[in-house]
Amino acid sequence: MSIDVNEAFAAGRERQAITARDRQGELRAGVEAGRLRRLPDGRYKVLTGFDAGEILSALGEPVHGLDEKARGAVALYSAVPAWHHLGQVVPGGTTDIDTVLSLAGIGFEVVTVPAFYLWDGRYLPHPGQRHTVRADTGQALGIVGPDYEVIQNRRSFEFLQELVSDTDAVWESAGSMRGGSKVFVALRVPGHVVVDPGGLDDRIVPFIVAINSHDGRSAYEVVATPWRPVCANTERLAVQQAATRWKVRHTRNATEHIREARRTLRLTSHYYDTWAAEETALARTNLAIDEFNTAIDELWPLEENATARQQRTAEQRRDRLHALFGEEASRSGRTAYAAERAVTDYTDHFAAIRPSAASGLKGNEPAARGLRLLEGTDDAVKSHAHQRLMLMRRR
């Protein structure tokens, strides 16, 4: 049985009607109690509960960037209640893909139709181009070529159903972004890994995320990631030959090639074991502030002829990274692990982004930032930081 979280959390929703002054008092109380952390830009980060990692605006309002379904509900399914009080929740999760597709609003099919342009009062076909269109709403999702093959959402995710059936894996979350041109499902894999056993004892729950697109610009992907798409930072890193990502392009026979993604699933445990071992090594490596500055300079090099504006931007970035490093160091010590967490936090929540009109997200920074997390736009920066810090471990 599904529960609409807007009803299940009616009592909590009433708090949103209080005055701005009372809300600020509640936020301050949350910070003092250790439930929230105020970020340098005035927003807040949730530290405890189901949705640790959730980002709130300066007014305490959730930042989600998810699509709205036709009936007005957010296009999101989750196995746990989220701080933003949005979406359809099945407590404990479900193992039925049809339930997930329905509650997340991603059960729609996609068709391709000819592309036309207006010329001299007439609509003429554009040779070699077609549009991908949602069959339920008629919304255009992208422009594609003649060889493009639609990978239907159900087909793209149903092969994971066997993993659910054969193990204790549970559908953790699913949702839609950018009008349905990008959809995802996430599986919570049984068990967990521990970073720095006996020390920090950071428990990491492994996930497999499948991402399908209909925009004509990106592939179908399966990703191994210590990240819950509902509301957390992504810790995806390319570590010593461990497979983290597998792609299928939208070309002829694409749906048949998806079956090969099973090999990614088989390699998932190897990835997490390797990841945890390397993160443990970083957690046991002390780091001087000069070494942290060196890593920052390598990640974001500043040209000798940099303008005054570029220099100010670099200084502001360094200040923010230092603040994030200090906050993490108070919990885990001044270690390479704390430095990596600072870089991850910065790229996920603070790095400047400028959504373009072409992306369909211009002016919607939360949605654009959420899409960057989903697509792994900053994975290269995080991996570079990880590799650089691993070298410092061997100094």
Side-chain angles (χ1 to χ4, degrees), residues 15-129:
R15 292 200 306 269
Q16 296 183 5
I18 64 176
T19 65
R21 180 177 178 180
D22 289 340
R23 180 176 292 172
Q24 289 301 314
E26 187 175 85
L27 291 171
R28 285 195 297 272
V31 172
E32 293 172 359
R35 296 190 301 272
L36 300 174
R37 183 180 78 199
R38 196 168 192 273
L39 302 176
D41 65 350
R43 295 184 299 170
Y44 295 85
K45 185 173 184 178
V46 183
L47 301 179
T48 62
F50 286 119
D51 36 17
E54 186 77 14
I55 299 299
L56 308 180
S57 73
L59 297 177
E61 297 170 344
V63 176
H64 62 85
L66 297 160
D67 287 336
E68 300 284 338
K69 294 167 67 174
R71 66 174 182 269
V74 168
L76 173 70
Y77 150 82
S78 178
V80 295
W83 181 280
H84 42 56
H85 305 285
L86 299 171
Q88 288 58 245
V89 174
V90 176
T94 180
T95 59
D96 179 46
I97 184 61
D98 290 314
T99 298
V100 173
L101 294 175
S102 175
L103 294 180
I106 58 175
F108 60 86
E109 292 200 342
V110 175
V111 298
T112 61
V113 298
F116 291 88
Y117 62 96
L118 182 63
W119 179 258
D120 196 22
R122 294 184 301 159
Y123 284 97
L124 303 177
H126 191 157
Q129 287 198 346

Side-chain angles (χ1 to χ4, degrees), residues 157-178:
F157 301 141
E158 67 181 351
F159 83 98
L160 293 175
Q161 182 75 57
E162 294 183 18
L163 185 68
V164 174
S165 300
D166 294 342
T167 71
D168 293 327
V170 173
W171 297 107
E172 176 74 5
S173 61
S176 168
M177 302 186 74
R178 212 169 62 189

Side-chain angles (χ1 to χ4, degrees), residues 143-263:
I143 301 175
V144 299
D147 296 328
Y148 182 91
E149 179 176 338
V150 173
I151 302 177
Q152 300 295 350
N153 292 337
R154 193 185 196 289
R155 183 72 180 274
S156 70
F157 301 141
E158 67 181 351
F159 83 98
L160 293 175
Q161 182 75 57
E162 294 183 18
L163 185 68
V164 174
S165 300
D166 294 342
T167 71
D168 293 327
V170 173
W171 297 107
E172 176 74 5
S173 61
S176 168
M177 302 186 74
R178 212 169 62 189
S181 63
K182 186 80 63 172
V183 297
F184 67 87
V185 296
L187 274 176
R188 184 174 70 249
V189 180
H192 63 273
V193 294
V194 178
V195 173
D196 192 20
L200 283 176
D201 282 326
D202 271 0
R203 291 165 59 94
I204 307 297
V205 180
F207 293 91
I208 296 172
V209 178
I211 308 164
N212 194 20
S213 70
H214 305 291
D215 56 13
R217 299 193 301 270
S218 46
Y220 167 82
E221 300 181 74
V222 176
V223 184
T225 176
W227 172 55
R228 181 162 61 93
V230 171
C231 62
N233 287 351
T234 169
E235 303 292 344
R236 277 199 302 272
L237 303 170
V239 298
Q240 296 181 355
Q241 302 179 359
T244 60
R245 184 182 297 268
W246 190 84
K247 297 185 178 183
V248 176
R249 295 183 61 82
H250 290 256
T251 54
R252 203 172 304 279
N253 299 322
T255 53
E256 295 302 319
H257 294 319
I258 288 178
R259 300 179 187 280
E260 299 173 19
R262 297 180 195 280
R263 67 185 179 88

Side-chain angles (χ1 to χ4, degrees), residues 50 52 63 66 81 113 125 136-137 158 194 250 271 289 328 331 334 342 394:
F50 286 119
V63 176
L66 297 160
V113 298
D136 59 342
T137 65
E158 67 181 351
V194 178
H250 290 256
Y271 166 67
I289 195 65
E328 180 59 35
R331 182 186 74 92
R334 301 182 73 82
R394 304 184 182 100

